[in-house]
Amino acid sequence: MNKIITIGREFGSGGRELAHHLAKELGFAYYDKEIVEEIAKRTNLAQHYVQHIVEHKSAVFFPITTGRTLHTAGSDYMMRQYTEVYSQQANVLREMAEKSDCIIVGRCADYILKDMNPTRIFVYADMQAKIQRCRKNAPEHEHLSDHQMKKMIQKVDKNRAKYYRHYTGQVWGDRENYELCVNTSISPIEDIAHALSHLI
């Protein structure tokens, strides 16, 4: 069986960057935005719409894994779209994991691929470190205050937590769901990736 690493991450923690460096260190395939692109192809939905779905909790109130439908105006159509996107997401993740050793960022991969025994990593950081990293990577035209940046980070993390709980029934970031929880607040991402590559 291939070696699979899943990486969940707080917004601004550098989780995506860590995953990228770790994939290079280990010589593993790296999957992130490619997942959304493939889902969009299979569902004939726009990439930005698929991205919105996979980053937010479904608008319906029942977990789509139950297969229930709500008989309110427009809900059937939305339910089918969310169901299709999640179903294709699970298919894409499994296909990617079966190809070769790989690192997969986000998308409930730790839960979806649990029967393939992935090494599950959660990346976090203190708020000041996240604000600094977001400011460093922000577009030139973006001029948010620290307070505004903090609110944005909290909103993104809240959406990720809701999405994860909605589809898995588990608490996002709970240490019991991961083999490793990594704090990126102080050490350089490259150094952490190098140390993790030896540990793994």
Side-chain angles (χ1 to χ4, degrees), residues 152-165:
M152 180 191 72
I153 291 169
Q154 290 174 330
K155 182 178 180 180
V156 173
D157 281 347
K158 185 178 180 181
N159 284 335
R160 287 180 177 175
K162 284 182 177 179
Y163 177 85
Y164 187 84
R165 187 175 188 86

Side-chain angles (χ1 to χ4, degrees), residues 48 79 93 104 191:
H48 66 86
M79 185 68 139
L93 291 178
I104 299 174
D191 292 351

Side-chain angles (χ1 to χ4, degrees), residues 35-45 50 84 87-93 95-96 99:
I35 300 166
V36 173
E37 291 170 3
E38 186 60 30
I39 295 170
K41 284 180 190 174
R42 298 186 185 198
T43 58
N44 292 317
L45 296 171
V50 173
E84 177 65 9
S87 175
Q88 290 301 336
Q89 175 174 280
N91 291 338
V92 169
L93 291 178
E95 288 171 20
M96 288 175 166
K99 282 182 183 178

Side-chain angles (χ1 to χ4, degrees), residues 63-77:
I64 60 170
T65 49
T66 64
R68 301 181 186 178
T69 350
L70 302 177
H71 298 289
T72 55
S75 64
D76 286 352
Y77 176 73

Side-chain angles (χ1 to χ4, degrees), residues 15-187:
R16 177 175 283 129
E17 184 184 353
L18 176 61
H20 197 262
H21 282 292
L22 187 57
K24 283 186 175 180
E25 288 268 357
L26 294 170
F28 283 15
Y30 169 84
Y31 298 119
D32 183 8
K33 295 178 181 177
E34 298 86 350
I35 300 166
V36 173
E37 291 170 3
E38 186 60 30
I39 295 170
K41 284 180 190 174
R42 298 186 185 198
T43 58
N44 292 317
L45 296 171
Q47 281 188 38
H48 66 86
Y49 183 64
V50 173
Q51 183 67 44
H52 174 77
I53 291 176
V54 301
E55 287 285 347
H56 296 79
K57 176 175 171 286
S58 169
V60 294
F61 296 105
F62 294 110
I64 60 170
T65 49
T66 64
R68 301 181 186 178
T69 350
L70 302 177
H71 298 289
T72 55
S75 64
D76 286 352
Y77 176 73
M78 287 188 69
M79 185 68 139
R80 285 195 299 272
Q81 281 200 328
Y82 278 99
T83 301
E84 177 65 9
V85 167
Y86 186 81
S87 175
Q88 290 301 336
Q89 175 174 280
N91 291 338
V92 169
L93 291 178
R94 288 191 173 278
E95 288 171 20
M96 288 175 166
E98 287 169 357
K99 282 182 183 178
S100 65
D101 296 339
C102 63
I103 292 180
I104 299 174
V105 179
R107 280 86 189 186
C108 299
D110 58 307
Y111 179 82
I112 291 171
L113 302 176
K114 61 184 178 181
D115 60 331
M116 300 179 80
N117 298 315
T119 297
R120 303 164 301 170
I121 298 174
F122 189 81
V123 183
Y124 67 101
D126 63 46
M127 182 56 70
Q128 194 54 44
K130 291 194 286 189
I131 288 173
Q132 289 176 359
R133 187 171 283 110
C134 286
R135 195 172 301 290
K136 178 182 174 184
N137 297 327
E140 287 185 15
H141 64 272
E142 184 178 276
H143 303 288
L144 299 179
S145 67
D146 281 2
H147 178 71
Q148 290 171 319
M149 192 76 78
K150 179 179 178 180
K151 289 290 185 183
M152 180 191 72
I153 291 169
Q154 290 174 330
K155 182 178 180 180
V156 173
D157 281 347
K158 185 178 180 181
N159 284 335
R160 287 180 177 175
K162 284 182 177 179
Y163 177 85
Y164 187 84
R165 187 175 188 86
H166 181 74
Y167 290 113
T168 70
Q170 298 179 349
V171 178
W172 181 73
D174 187 336
R175 65 179 183 270
E176 293 186 6
N177 295 329
Y178 308 93
E179 278 67 58
L180 287 169
C181 291
V182 180
N183 186 342
T184 59
S185 301
I186 300 173
S187 302

